[in-house]
Amino acid sequence: MKLAPAASHSDEAWSTARRAARELDKILEGSGSRRAAIVRAAAELCLSTRQVYNLLARYRVDRTVTSLLPGGDRTRKKRLQPEIEEIIATTLREQWLVLEAPPLAPVVAEIRARCEEAGLSPPSYLTVARRIPALFGPEEIAKKRSANLKHLHRLRARPGYIHAAHPLDVCQIDHTPTDINFVEVVEGGGTFVGRAYLTIVTDVATRCILGFCLTLEKPSALSVALCLAQALCPKDEWLVAHGIEHGWPMFGRPRLLVTDSAKEFKGNAFQRGCEDYGIRIRYRDRGRVHQGGVVERLLGKLNGVLATQPGSTGRSVADRDQYPAERRAGLSFADLEQCVALAVIDHNLQQNARTLRVPASEWDRQTHELVRFDDDPMRVLLAFMPGTERRIPALDDRGRGWP
Protein backbone atom coordinates (compact mmCIF):
# COMPACT_ATOMS: atom_id res chain seq x y z
CA MET A 1 0.00 0.00 0.00
CA LYS A 2 1.36 3.44 -0.94
CA LEU A 3 1.91 5.80 1.97
CA ALA A 4 0.45 9.28 1.96
CA PRO A 5 3.00 11.99 1.15
CA ALA A 6 2.61 13.65 4.55
CA ALA A 7 3.39 10.37 6.27
CA SER A 8 6.66 9.67 4.49
CA HIS A 9 8.02 13.08 3.47
CA SER A 10 8.57 16.41 5.14
CA ASP A 11 6.45 19.49 4.50
CA GLU A 12 9.41 21.16 2.81
CA ALA A 13 9.82 18.28 0.35
CA TRP A 14 6.09 18.31 -0.40
CA SER A 15 6.12 22.09 -1.01
CA THR A 16 9.09 21.76 -3.35
CA ALA A 17 7.41 18.96 -5.31
CA ARG A 18 4.14 20.91 -5.52
CA ARG A 19 5.95 23.96 -6.86
CA ALA A 20 7.72 21.80 -9.47
CA ALA A 21 4.36 20.28 -10.46
CA ARG A 22 2.94 23.75 -11.16
CA GLU A 23 5.85 24.59 -13.43
CA LEU A 24 5.61 21.25 -15.25
CA ASP A 25 1.87 21.80 -15.81
CA LYS A 26 2.73 25.05 -17.57
CA ILE A 27 5.10 23.14 -19.86
CA LEU A 28 2.60 20.39 -20.70
CA GLU A 29 -0.35 22.73 -21.18
CA GLY A 30 1.49 25.57 -22.90
CA SER A 31 1.13 26.29 -26.60
CA GLY A 32 4.49 27.96 -27.21
CA SER A 33 7.99 26.60 -27.62
CA ARG A 34 8.61 23.56 -25.44
CA ARG A 35 12.31 24.38 -25.20
CA ALA A 36 11.65 27.95 -24.05
CA ALA A 37 9.16 26.72 -21.46
CA ILE A 38 11.69 24.23 -20.06
CA VAL A 39 14.38 26.91 -19.84
CA ARG A 40 11.96 29.19 -17.98
CA ALA A 41 10.96 26.38 -15.60
CA ALA A 42 14.62 25.58 -14.93
CA ALA A 43 15.23 29.20 -13.96
CA GLU A 44 12.17 29.28 -11.69
CA LEU A 45 13.09 26.01 -9.95
CA CYS A 46 16.85 26.73 -9.82
CA LEU A 47 17.55 23.50 -11.72
CA SER A 48 19.33 22.57 -14.93
CA THR A 49 17.32 21.89 -18.07
CA ARG A 50 18.39 18.24 -17.90
CA GLN A 51 16.88 17.96 -14.41
CA VAL A 52 13.65 19.51 -15.68
CA TYR A 53 13.53 16.97 -18.52
CA ASN A 54 13.97 14.15 -15.99
CA LEU A 55 11.20 15.54 -13.78
CA LEU A 56 8.95 15.93 -16.80
CA ALA A 57 9.46 12.29 -17.79
CA ARG A 58 8.39 11.17 -14.31
CA TYR A 59 5.51 13.62 -14.01
CA ARG A 60 3.79 13.15 -17.38
CA VAL A 61 2.90 9.50 -16.59
CA ASP A 62 0.20 10.15 -13.96
CA ARG A 63 0.52 13.93 -13.29
CA THR A 64 0.77 13.58 -9.48
CA VAL A 65 2.86 15.55 -7.00
CA THR A 66 3.89 12.28 -5.35
CA SER A 67 5.85 11.27 -8.44
CA LEU A 68 8.13 14.31 -7.93
CA LEU A 69 8.99 13.58 -4.31
CA PRO A 70 12.53 12.40 -3.48
CA GLY A 71 12.45 8.68 -4.19
CA GLY A 72 8.75 8.96 -5.09
CA ASP A 73 7.02 5.71 -5.85
CA ARG A 74 9.69 4.65 -8.30
CA THR A 75 11.04 1.13 -7.83
CA ARG A 76 14.04 0.56 -10.06
CA LYS A 77 14.70 -3.12 -10.61
CA LYS A 78 18.22 -4.35 -10.07
CA ARG A 79 19.61 -5.79 -13.25
CA LEU A 80 22.35 -7.84 -11.58
CA GLN A 81 21.92 -11.38 -10.42
CA PRO A 82 21.74 -11.92 -6.64
CA GLU A 83 25.02 -13.86 -6.75
CA ILE A 84 26.80 -10.86 -8.32
CA GLU A 85 25.25 -8.50 -5.75
CA GLU A 86 26.52 -10.76 -2.96
CA ILE A 87 30.05 -10.82 -4.40
CA ILE A 88 30.09 -7.01 -4.72
CA ALA A 89 28.87 -6.44 -1.16
CA THR A 90 31.24 -9.03 0.38
CA THR A 91 34.33 -7.83 -1.50
CA LEU A 92 33.67 -4.17 -0.79
CA ARG A 93 33.25 -4.87 2.91
CA GLU A 94 36.40 -7.01 3.07
CA GLN A 95 38.80 -4.98 0.90
CA TRP A 96 37.41 -1.47 0.42
CA LEU A 97 35.69 -0.62 3.73
CA VAL A 98 38.92 -0.83 5.75
CA LEU A 99 41.07 1.65 7.62
CA GLU A 100 43.78 1.64 4.93
CA ALA A 101 41.20 3.28 2.59
CA PRO A 102 42.44 1.73 -0.70
CA PRO A 103 41.27 3.08 -4.09
CA LEU A 104 38.27 1.47 -5.71
CA ALA A 105 39.93 0.28 -8.94
CA PRO A 106 41.85 -2.75 -7.50
CA VAL A 107 38.78 -3.74 -5.51
CA VAL A 108 36.71 -3.72 -8.71
CA ALA A 109 39.35 -5.90 -10.37
CA GLU A 110 39.01 -8.40 -7.50
CA ILE A 111 35.20 -8.36 -7.84
CA ARG A 112 35.44 -9.03 -11.56
CA ALA A 113 37.90 -11.89 -10.97
CA ARG A 114 35.59 -13.51 -8.40
CA CYS A 115 32.61 -13.21 -10.76
CA GLU A 116 34.52 -14.77 -13.65
CA GLU A 117 35.66 -17.59 -11.37
CA ALA A 118 32.01 -18.25 -10.43
CA GLY A 119 30.93 -18.20 -14.07
CA LEU A 120 29.09 -14.89 -13.73
CA SER A 121 29.18 -11.79 -15.88
CA PRO A 122 31.65 -9.31 -14.30
CA PRO A 123 30.21 -5.87 -13.45
CA SER A 124 31.72 -2.62 -14.63
CA TYR A 125 33.56 -0.10 -12.49
CA LEU A 126 30.58 2.33 -12.59
CA THR A 127 28.18 -0.41 -11.52
CA VAL A 128 30.25 -1.19 -8.45
CA ALA A 129 30.67 2.51 -7.61
CA ARG A 130 26.89 3.00 -7.70
CA ARG A 131 26.42 0.17 -5.20
CA ILE A 132 28.55 1.89 -2.52
CA PRO A 133 26.01 4.52 -1.33
CA ALA A 134 23.29 1.85 -1.39
CA LEU A 135 25.30 -0.59 0.74
CA PHE A 136 27.01 1.75 3.21
CA GLY A 137 25.96 4.97 4.86
CA PRO A 138 28.23 8.05 5.05
CA GLU A 139 28.82 7.54 8.78
CA GLU A 140 29.84 3.91 8.30
CA ILE A 141 32.26 4.86 5.52
CA ALA A 142 33.82 7.62 7.63
CA LYS A 143 34.10 5.31 10.64
CA LYS A 144 35.67 2.39 8.79
CA ARG A 145 37.85 4.17 6.20
CA SER A 146 39.14 7.18 8.14
CA ALA A 147 41.23 7.48 11.29
CA ASN A 148 40.32 11.18 11.57
CA LEU A 149 37.44 11.48 14.03
CA LYS A 150 36.54 14.91 12.63
CA HIS A 151 35.21 13.27 9.46
CA LEU A 152 32.65 11.35 11.48
CA HIS A 153 31.87 14.38 13.65
CA ARG A 154 30.96 16.47 10.60
CA LEU A 155 28.38 13.90 9.51
CA ARG A 156 26.56 13.71 12.81
CA ALA A 157 23.67 15.97 13.65
CA ARG A 158 24.76 18.96 15.72
CA PRO A 159 22.22 20.26 18.23
CA GLY A 160 21.50 23.90 18.79
CA TYR A 161 20.29 25.14 15.41
CA ILE A 162 18.76 28.59 15.76
CA HIS A 163 14.99 28.65 15.33
CA ALA A 164 12.60 31.58 15.71
CA ALA A 165 8.81 31.51 15.76
CA HIS A 166 8.21 35.24 15.38
CA PRO A 167 10.03 38.23 13.87
CA LEU A 168 12.73 39.83 16.04
CA ASP A 169 12.76 36.81 18.39
CA VAL A 170 16.22 35.91 17.10
CA CYS A 171 18.51 38.04 14.92
CA GLN A 172 22.05 37.39 13.71
CA ILE A 173 24.86 39.86 13.00
CA ASP A 174 28.12 39.19 11.17
CA HIS A 175 30.75 40.76 8.91
CA THR A 176 32.43 39.84 5.65
CA PRO A 177 35.47 41.35 3.96
CA THR A 178 35.23 42.37 0.34
CA ASP A 179 37.83 39.87 -0.81
CA ILE A 180 34.98 37.34 -1.02
CA ASN A 181 33.21 38.08 -4.31
CA PHE A 182 33.28 41.79 -3.64
CA VAL A 183 34.20 44.81 -5.75
CA GLU A 184 37.08 47.17 -5.30
CA VAL A 185 36.20 50.70 -4.30
CA VAL A 186 37.49 53.88 -5.94
CA GLU A 187 37.12 57.49 -4.84
CA GLY A 188 37.77 60.81 -6.58
CA GLY A 189 38.76 60.41 -10.20
CA GLY A 190 39.47 56.72 -10.14
CA THR A 191 42.04 56.61 -7.34
CA PHE A 192 42.21 53.15 -5.83
CA VAL A 193 41.23 53.17 -2.16
CA GLY A 194 40.79 49.56 -1.05
CA ARG A 195 38.26 46.94 -0.11
CA ALA A 196 35.23 47.55 2.04
CA TYR A 197 33.79 45.50 4.89
CA LEU A 198 30.11 44.67 5.12
CA THR A 199 28.14 44.12 8.33
CA ILE A 200 24.49 43.01 8.27
CA VAL A 201 21.75 42.18 10.78
CA THR A 202 19.19 39.60 9.68
CA ASP A 203 15.99 38.24 11.21
CA VAL A 204 15.90 34.45 11.48
CA ALA A 205 12.12 33.97 11.42
CA THR A 206 11.45 35.93 8.22
CA ARG A 207 14.96 35.93 6.65
CA CYS A 208 14.68 39.72 6.26
CA ILE A 209 17.80 41.88 6.36
CA LEU A 210 17.14 44.62 8.92
CA GLY A 211 20.23 46.76 8.41
CA PHE A 212 23.76 46.93 7.06
CA CYS A 213 26.92 48.98 7.39
CA LEU A 214 29.62 49.38 4.78
CA THR A 215 33.02 50.66 5.94
CA LEU A 216 36.56 50.88 4.64
CA GLU A 217 37.92 49.95 8.05
CA LYS A 218 38.01 46.50 9.59
CA PRO A 219 34.98 45.50 11.70
CA SER A 220 34.92 47.44 14.94
CA ALA A 221 32.59 48.78 17.60
CA LEU A 222 31.78 51.68 15.26
CA SER A 223 30.62 49.48 12.35
CA VAL A 224 28.53 47.37 14.76
CA ALA A 225 26.93 50.51 16.23
CA LEU A 226 26.16 51.95 12.78
CA CYS A 227 24.61 48.67 11.64
CA LEU A 228 22.43 48.32 14.74
CA ALA A 229 21.35 51.96 14.52
CA GLN A 230 20.00 51.27 11.05
CA ALA A 231 18.43 47.94 12.06
CA LEU A 232 16.57 49.30 15.10
CA CYS A 233 15.20 52.48 13.51
CA PRO A 234 13.00 53.41 10.51
CA LYS A 235 14.96 53.99 7.31
CA ASP A 236 12.76 56.45 5.42
CA GLU A 237 15.11 59.42 5.83
CA TRP A 238 18.16 57.28 5.06
CA LEU A 239 16.58 56.03 1.81
CA VAL A 240 15.71 59.56 0.71
CA ALA A 241 19.23 60.80 1.49
CA HIS A 242 20.70 58.02 -0.67
CA GLY A 243 18.31 58.53 -3.57
CA ILE A 244 16.51 55.20 -3.18
CA GLU A 245 12.81 55.21 -3.98
CA HIS A 246 12.03 51.70 -2.76
CA GLY A 247 10.58 50.83 0.64
CA TRP A 248 12.45 49.09 3.44
CA PRO A 249 9.97 48.79 6.34
CA MET A 250 11.89 46.22 8.42
CA PHE A 251 13.18 47.52 11.76
CA GLY A 252 12.87 46.88 15.47
CA ARG A 253 14.63 45.78 18.63
CA PRO A 254 15.82 42.15 18.54
CA ARG A 255 15.03 40.08 21.62
CA LEU A 256 18.07 37.85 21.05
CA LEU A 257 21.15 38.70 19.00
CA VAL A 258 23.44 35.85 17.91
CA THR A 259 27.06 36.85 17.28
CA ASP A 260 30.45 35.23 16.93
CA SER A 261 33.28 35.75 19.43
CA ALA A 262 34.92 38.72 17.73
CA LYS A 263 36.32 41.37 20.04
CA GLU A 264 33.81 44.01 18.88
CA PHE A 265 31.04 41.82 20.33
CA LYS A 266 32.87 41.20 23.59
CA GLY A 267 33.43 44.84 24.53
CA ASN A 268 31.68 46.69 27.31
CA ALA A 269 30.11 49.17 24.88
CA PHE A 270 28.30 46.46 22.91
CA GLN A 271 27.12 44.64 26.02
CA ARG A 272 26.00 47.87 27.67
CA GLY A 273 24.09 48.94 24.56
CA CYS A 274 22.31 45.59 24.34
CA GLU A 275 21.35 45.82 28.01
CA ASP A 276 20.06 49.36 27.46
CA TYR A 277 17.72 48.24 24.66
CA GLY A 278 16.69 44.90 26.19
CA ILE A 279 18.66 42.72 23.77
CA ARG A 280 20.04 39.39 24.99
CA ILE A 281 23.34 38.19 23.51
CA ARG A 282 24.17 34.64 22.48
CA TYR A 283 27.68 33.79 21.32
CA ARG A 284 28.32 30.99 18.87
CA ASP A 285 31.71 29.91 20.12
CA ARG A 286 33.79 26.93 19.03
CA GLY A 287 31.60 23.96 18.21
CA ARG A 288 28.53 26.13 17.53
CA VAL A 289 29.61 28.03 14.44
CA HIS A 290 26.81 26.37 12.44
CA GLN A 291 24.30 28.48 14.37
CA GLY A 292 25.17 31.46 12.18
CA GLY A 293 24.14 29.84 8.93
CA VAL A 294 21.34 32.29 8.13
CA VAL A 295 23.43 35.45 8.22
CA GLU A 296 26.40 33.78 6.52
CA ARG A 297 24.26 32.58 3.61
CA LEU A 298 22.85 36.08 3.16
CA LEU A 299 26.33 37.59 3.23
CA GLY A 300 27.31 35.16 0.50
CA LYS A 301 24.21 36.08 -1.50
CA LEU A 302 25.01 39.80 -1.33
CA ASN A 303 28.60 39.10 -2.32
CA GLY A 304 27.36 37.14 -5.31
CA VAL A 305 25.30 40.10 -6.49
CA LEU A 306 28.16 42.56 -6.05
CA ALA A 307 30.61 40.22 -7.80
CA THR A 308 28.95 41.05 -11.14
CA GLN A 309 30.35 44.60 -10.97
CA PRO A 310 33.71 45.60 -12.51
CA GLY A 311 36.61 45.17 -10.13
CA SER A 312 35.48 41.93 -8.52
CA THR A 313 38.28 40.23 -6.60
CA GLY A 314 36.82 36.74 -7.04
CA ARG A 315 36.50 33.98 -4.49
CA SER A 316 40.26 33.37 -4.44
CA VAL A 317 43.48 34.19 -6.27
CA ALA A 318 42.91 31.20 -8.55
CA ASP A 319 39.34 32.26 -9.24
CA ARG A 320 40.45 35.80 -10.12
CA ASP A 321 42.86 34.34 -12.72
CA GLN A 322 45.04 37.49 -13.00
CA TYR A 323 41.97 39.67 -13.55
CA PRO A 324 43.14 43.30 -13.01
CA ALA A 325 40.70 44.03 -10.18
CA GLU A 326 42.35 47.26 -9.08
CA ARG A 327 42.53 48.75 -12.58
CA ARG A 328 38.99 47.63 -13.47
CA ALA A 329 37.40 49.06 -10.32
CA GLY A 330 34.79 51.65 -11.23
CA LEU A 331 32.44 52.13 -8.28
CA SER A 332 32.70 54.97 -5.83
CA PHE A 333 31.96 54.28 -2.19
CA ALA A 334 28.54 55.97 -2.52
CA ASP A 335 27.70 53.84 -5.57
CA LEU A 336 28.77 50.71 -3.75
CA GLU A 337 26.65 51.58 -0.71
CA GLN A 338 23.63 52.18 -2.94
CA CYS A 339 24.26 48.89 -4.72
CA VAL A 340 24.30 47.03 -1.39
CA ALA A 341 21.07 48.74 -0.31
CA LEU A 342 19.30 47.77 -3.55
CA ALA A 343 20.56 44.18 -3.23
CA VAL A 344 19.22 44.04 0.35
CA ILE A 345 15.81 45.39 -0.68
CA ASP A 346 15.69 42.98 -3.61
CA HIS A 347 16.49 40.07 -1.29
CA ASN A 348 13.63 41.03 1.01
CA LEU A 349 11.24 40.89 -1.95
CA GLN A 350 12.46 37.57 -3.38
CA GLN A 351 11.23 34.10 -2.49
CA ASN A 352 13.63 32.25 -0.22
CA ALA A 353 14.95 29.09 -1.87
CA ARG A 354 14.86 27.12 1.39
CA THR A 355 11.61 28.27 2.99
CA LEU A 356 9.79 29.05 -0.31
CA ARG A 357 8.48 32.22 1.35
CA VAL A 358 8.99 35.89 0.57
CA PRO A 359 10.72 37.65 3.51
CA ALA A 360 8.81 40.92 3.05
CA SER A 361 5.46 39.11 2.94
CA GLU A 362 6.32 37.14 6.08
CA TRP A 363 7.32 40.36 7.82
CA ASP A 364 4.03 42.08 6.90
CA ARG A 365 2.02 39.05 7.97
CA GLN A 366 3.63 38.54 11.37
CA THR A 367 4.55 42.02 12.62
CA HIS A 368 1.11 43.53 13.27
CA GLU A 369 1.34 42.91 17.01
CA LEU A 370 4.98 43.89 17.46
CA VAL A 371 5.69 46.65 19.94
CA ARG A 372 7.08 49.67 18.09
CA PHE A 373 9.65 51.93 19.74
CA ASP A 374 10.34 55.46 18.59
CA ASP A 375 14.12 54.96 18.59
CA ASP A 376 16.39 57.70 17.31
CA PRO A 377 19.34 56.52 15.17
CA MET A 378 21.78 58.93 16.84
CA ARG A 379 20.82 57.79 20.34
CA VAL A 380 21.17 54.14 19.34
CA LEU A 381 24.56 54.89 17.78
CA LEU A 382 25.81 56.61 20.94
CA ALA A 383 24.47 53.81 23.14
CA PHE A 384 26.67 51.23 21.36
CA MET A 385 29.76 53.43 21.05
CA PRO A 386 32.62 53.01 23.54
CA GLY A 387 33.26 55.88 25.89
CA THR A 388 35.50 56.85 28.79
CA GLU A 389 34.98 59.10 31.79
CA ARG A 390 37.39 61.98 32.42
CA ARG A 391 37.57 64.30 35.43
CA ILE A 392 37.74 68.02 34.73
CA PRO A 393 40.27 69.62 37.13
CA ALA A 394 39.06 72.38 39.41
CA LEU A 395 40.17 75.97 38.70
CA ASP A 396 41.63 78.48 41.12
CA ASP A 397 40.83 82.20 41.26
CA ARG A 398 43.12 82.94 38.33
CA GLY A 399 41.51 80.29 36.12
CA ARG A 400 44.34 77.85 36.51
CA GLY A 401 43.84 74.16 37.32
CA TRP A 402 44.75 72.89 40.75
CA PRO A 403 47.73 70.56 40.76
Side-chain angles (χ1 to χ4, degrees):
M1 186 177 71
K2 188 186 299 184
L3 294 175
S8 56
H9 295 87
S10 65
D11 293 339
E12 182 179 357
W14 179 257
S15 299
T16 303
R18 184 176 57 187
R19 181 186 173 199
R22 289 198 298 265
E23 296 298 329
L24 296 178
D25 285 334
K26 296 178 183 178
I27 297 175
L28 296 174
E29 299 171 2
S31 57
S33 171
R34 175 65 62 88
R35 172 65 182 173
I38 289 177
V39 171
R40 183 194 57 79
E44 289 291 334
L45 299 174
C46 299
L47 301 174
S48 65
T49 54
R50 181 176 181 179
Q51 290 174 311
V52 175
Y53 276 114
N54 292 336
L55 291 177
L56 192 62
R58 290 160 48 188
Y59 182 69
R60 71 198 319 166
V61 177
D62 54 3
R63 301 283 288 269
T64 61
V65 177
T66 308
S67 62
L68 301 177
L69 291 170
D73 55 358
R74 297 167 292 158
T75 55
R76 183 175 179 178
K77 296 182 179 179
K78 296 182 178 180
R79 290 177 290 182
L80 296 181
Q81 300 177 21
E83 294 82 0
I84 301 178
E85 295 283 359
E86 180 64 26
I87 292 176
I88 292 176
T90 302
T91 309
L92 285 175
R93 191 172 295 277
E94 292 175 352
Q95 300 187 12
W96 183 81
L97 200 66
V98 294
L99 192 60
E100 287 71 21
L104 184 60
V107 181
V108 173
E110 176 65 21
I111 292 174
R112 293 174 60 87
R114 293 185 180 185
C115 289
E116 291 178 352
E117 185 179 352
L120 302 171
S121 177
S124 65
Y125 179 95
L126 186 59
T127 299
V128 176
R130 287 175 176 173
R131 293 302 188 277
I132 292 177
L135 293 172
F136 316 112
E139 290 191 14
E140 185 179 6
I141 294 175
K143 185 177 180 181
K144 295 292 183 62
R145 282 178 58 89
S146 176
N148 189 351
L149 297 179
K150 292 183 179 180
H151 293 172
L152 182 61
H153 176 72
R154 281 195 291 264
L155 294 172
R156 289 174 177 172
R158 292 175 290 181
Y161 182 78
I162 297 295
H163 292 279
H166 304 95
L168 299 180
D169 281 354
V170 181
C171 293
Q172 295 179 352
I173 183 171
D174 205 355
H175 322 279
T176 186
T178 59
D179 57 0
I180 305 175
N181 288 344
F182 229 81
V183 297
E184 303 287 352
V185 183
V186 294
E187 282 282 7
T191 303
F192 174 73
V193 176
R195 299 172 180 176
Y197 289 84
L198 177 65
T199 304
I200 68 171
V201 174
T202 181
D203 177 65
V204 174
T206 62
R207 299 301 198 269
C208 288
I209 297 178
L210 305 180
F212 77 92
C213 175
L214 196 68
T215 63
L216 292 177
E217 300 176 351
K218 291 184 178 181
S220 62
L222 175 59
S223 57
V224 172
L226 289 170
C227 185
L228 289 174
Q230 187 182 68
L232 269 65
C233 305
K235 307 169 185 59
D236 299 335
E237 296 182 2
W238 188 91
L239 294 172
V240 172
H242 288 75
I244 300 175
E245 300 179 355
H246 304 279
W248 189 1
M250 299 79 181
F251 70 94
R253 298 183 185 181
R255 298 180 182 87
L256 176 66
L257 192 60
V258 181
T259 75
D260 57 20
S261 299
K263 62 180 181 180
E264 58 268 18
F265 299 122
K266 294 285 190 176
N268 293 330
F270 176 74
Q271 296 180 6
R272 187 182 64 248
C274 288
E275 291 176 357
D276 191 13
Y277 284 89
I279 302 173
R280 294 183 293 113
I281 306 172
R282 180 172 180 178
Y283 296 105
R284 47 188 183 95
D285 300 311
R286 181 180 299 178
R288 296 190 297 180
V289 295
H290 59 287
Q291 296 179 2
V294 175
V295 67
E296 290 179 354
R297 279 193 295 269
L298 295 184
L299 283 171
K301 181 179 180 179
L302 294 179
N303 283 339
V305 174
L306 296 172
T308 61
Q309 301 296 327
S312 171
T313 62
R315 294 186 297 270
S316 63
V317 175
D319 180 67
R320 186 162 61 240
D321 193 23
Q322 297 186 356
Y323 171 75
E326 296 183 7
R327 289 191 289 105
R328 291 285 296 171
L331 291 178
S332 67
F333 186 84
D335 294 336
L336 180 59
E337 191 174 33
Q338 188 180 58
C339 186
V340 173
L342 292 175
V344 167
I345 295 173
D346 183 64
H347 159 76
N348 291 337
L349 297 175
Q350 285 184 357
Q351 185 183 54
N352 187 278
R354 292 176 176 268
T355 64
L356 300 180
R357 297 172 182 174
V358 179
S361 300
E362 290 298 304
W363 181 271
D364 294 337
R365 184 176 63 87
Q366 300 186 46
T367 56
H368 296 295
E369 299 181 358
L370 282 180
V371 179
R372 296 295 185 179
F373 299 95
D374 189 17
D375 291 327
D376 179 68
M378 185 57 64
R379 293 189 62 181
V380 176
L381 176 62
L382 295 176
F384 285 90
M385 287 293 293
T388 58
E389 295 183 0
R390 296 186 181 275
R391 184 175 64 88
I392 300 177
L395 302 178
D396 59 11
D397 296 338
R398 297 183 181 181
R400 295 176 300 180
W402 292 104

